[in-house]
């Protein structure tokens, strides 16, 4: 199941609220300089870093799992968003663009297949933890972390933070996510930890494909083919996200210009 009722009840209101809030922020900061426009993203990035620090400390104190090493697809928030916000060198625009793509990728997954990001059981566990009825801090972290991440997507498109140069950008995206696959894919196998679904798939239909390939050509070559398939998807999805981010930004900026000039 791609969506569950709990995902519908919790995510759709989030999308509406986040879009409205990002629109209001964009209006408020419309005539400000770049640093002022980045303040909302900086706040979100700070919250993401604090959440991750709390998770790591909690894990160390209560028994650490390799699954909490920040090598997941959405862990890229922890690397590129701080660079986008706080690095001021000549490559800043590239880091802002990649951060925007990271945010857009998350939005795509949450819009199409939220159940593969976190389950309805995770939502229940989060509420149980918040109300002192058990639950799991790690599920609370997961739901809050991805919620903040979704909001940053709306900040990017309504504020028009990213700048685009398609030919160079496509190369940048392929290299960035190709390097991620090259590093994390083998590492996931080495420590048998399911970063980015590199070890097995949380999506039942993909897991069936993985098992079928392994049964057909053998465990090691079959797993290698599966990792290459996941790697291809891990590059293609950000490329799709790039064009979605680009054209949504263009559409919203055009409407904003019409509104500002009374067109």
């Amino acid at each position: 199941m791609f969506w569950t009722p709990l995902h519908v009840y919790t995510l759709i209101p989030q999308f509406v609220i986040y879009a409205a809030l990002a629109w209001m922020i964009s209006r408020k900061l419309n005539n400000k300089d770049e640093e002022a426009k980045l303040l909302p993203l900086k706040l979100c990035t700070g919250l993401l870093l604090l959440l991750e620090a709390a998770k790591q400390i909690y894990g160390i104190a209560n028994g650490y799992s390799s699954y909490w090493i920040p090598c997941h697809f959405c862990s890229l928030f922890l690397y590129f968003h701080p660079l986008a916000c706080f690095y001021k060198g000549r490559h800043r625009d590239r880091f802002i663009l990649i951060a925007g793509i990271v945010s857009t990728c998350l939005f795509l997954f949450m819009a199409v297949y939220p159940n593969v990001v976190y389950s309805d059981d995770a939502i229940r566990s989060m509420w149980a933890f918040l109300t002192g009825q058990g639950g799991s801090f790690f599920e609370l972290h997961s739901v809050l972390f991805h919620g903040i991440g979704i909001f940053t997507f709306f900040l990017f498109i309504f504020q028009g933070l990213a700048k685009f140069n398609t030919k160079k950008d496509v190369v940048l995206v392929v290299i960035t996510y190709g390097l991620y696959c090259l590093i994390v894919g083998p590492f996931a196998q080495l420590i048998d930890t399911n970063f980015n679904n590199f070890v097995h798939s949380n999506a039942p239909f993909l897991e069936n494909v993985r098992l079928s390939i392994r049964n057909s050509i053998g465990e090691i070559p079959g797993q290698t083919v599966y990792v290459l398939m996941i790697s291809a998807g891990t590059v293609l999805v950000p490329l799709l996200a790039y064009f979605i981010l680009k054209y949504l930004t263009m559409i919203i900026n055009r409407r904003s210009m019409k509104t500002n000039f009374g067109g």
Side-chain angles (χ1 to χ4, degrees):
M1 184 181 296
F2 282 34
W3 282 72
T4 70
L6 266 180
H7 285 108
V8 174
Y9 303 148
T10 57
L11 283 177
I12 292 179
Q14 282 185 66
F15 292 163
V16 173
I17 292 169
Y18 291 162
L21 183 57
W23 177 79
M24 288 188 288
I25 289 171
S26 70
R27 299 280 290 179
K28 187 73 174 178
L29 299 178
N30 183 47
N31 296 318
K32 303 294 184 181
D33 61 22
E34 185 179 53
E35 291 304 316
K37 289 181 178 179
L38 282 172
L39 282 174
L41 186 64
K42 288 180 178 180
L43 176 60
C44 291
T45 299
L47 290 173
L48 291 173
L49 292 172
L50 285 173
L51 273 172
E52 185 64 22
K55 184 185 81 172
Q56 297 298 327
I57 293 169
Y58 191 92
I60 292 169
N62 293 275
Y64 199 80
S65 167
S66 60
Y67 192 73
W68 301 327
I69 298 172
C71 291
H72 297 277
F73 191 83
C74 288
S75 297
L76 294 175
F77 275 96
L78 303 172
Y79 307 112
F80 288 110
H81 285 64
L83 286 169
C85 291
F86 304 113
Y87 170 81
K88 296 184 180 180
R90 64 190 184 96
H91 299 298
R92 189 182 203 184
D93 287 345
R94 295 182 181 180
F95 288 130
I96 290 174
L97 175 65
I98 293 295
I101 292 168
V102 171
S103 297
T104 307
C105 285
L106 175 60
F107 174 76
L108 287 177
F109 280 116
M110 296 303 287
V112 176
Y113 198 170
N115 203 29
V116 81
V117 179
Y118 60 75
S119 66
D120 52 357
D121 285 337
I123 300 171
R124 294 188 188 94
S125 182
M126 175 198 72
W127 284 114
F129 185 85
L130 287 173
T131 56
Q133 301 177 45
S136 167
F137 171 78
F138 298 105
E139 301 294 9
L140 170 67
H141 169 276
S142 181
V143 175
L144 291 181
F145 187 96
H146 291 98
I148 295 168
I150 295 168
F151 179 54
T152 65
F153 162 73
F154 290 101
L155 288 176
F156 272 101
I157 61 170
F158 280 99
Q159 289 192 272
L161 297 175
K163 299 175 183 177
F164 303 96
N165 183 334
T166 301
K167 288 184 179 180
K168 291 182 178 179
D169 296 343
V170 167
V171 174
L172 177 64
V173 172
V174 171
I175 291 174
T176 300
Y177 282 91
L179 285 173
Y180 169 78
C181 294
L182 190 63
I183 295 167
V184 178
F187 182 57
Q189 312 305 312
L190 182 65
I191 65 172
D192 192 27
T193 302
N194 197 35
F195 303 127
N196 191 46
N197 286 326
F198 276 126
V199 176
H200 59 82
S201 179
N202 294 328
F205 63 93
L206 277 178
E207 180 62 6
N208 289 335
V209 171
R210 183 184 78 90
L211 294 174
S212 176
I213 294 172
R214 282 166 60 108
N215 290 335
S216 298
I217 63 175
E219 181 177 343
I220 294 177
Q223 186 69 13
T224 302
V225 170
Y226 168 75
V227 171
L228 290 173
M229 287 171 53
I230 295 298
S231 297
T234 302
V235 174
L236 289 173
V237 169
L239 284 173
L240 173 63
Y242 168 77
F243 288 102
I244 290 173
L245 176 64
K246 177 180 179 179
Y247 289 111
L248 283 179
T249 300
M250 288 172 56
I251 291 168
I252 289 172
N253 283 348
R254 285 173 185 168
R255 290 184 177 180
S256 177
M257 290 177 64
K258 286 181 180 180
T259 300
N260 291 337
F261 291 101

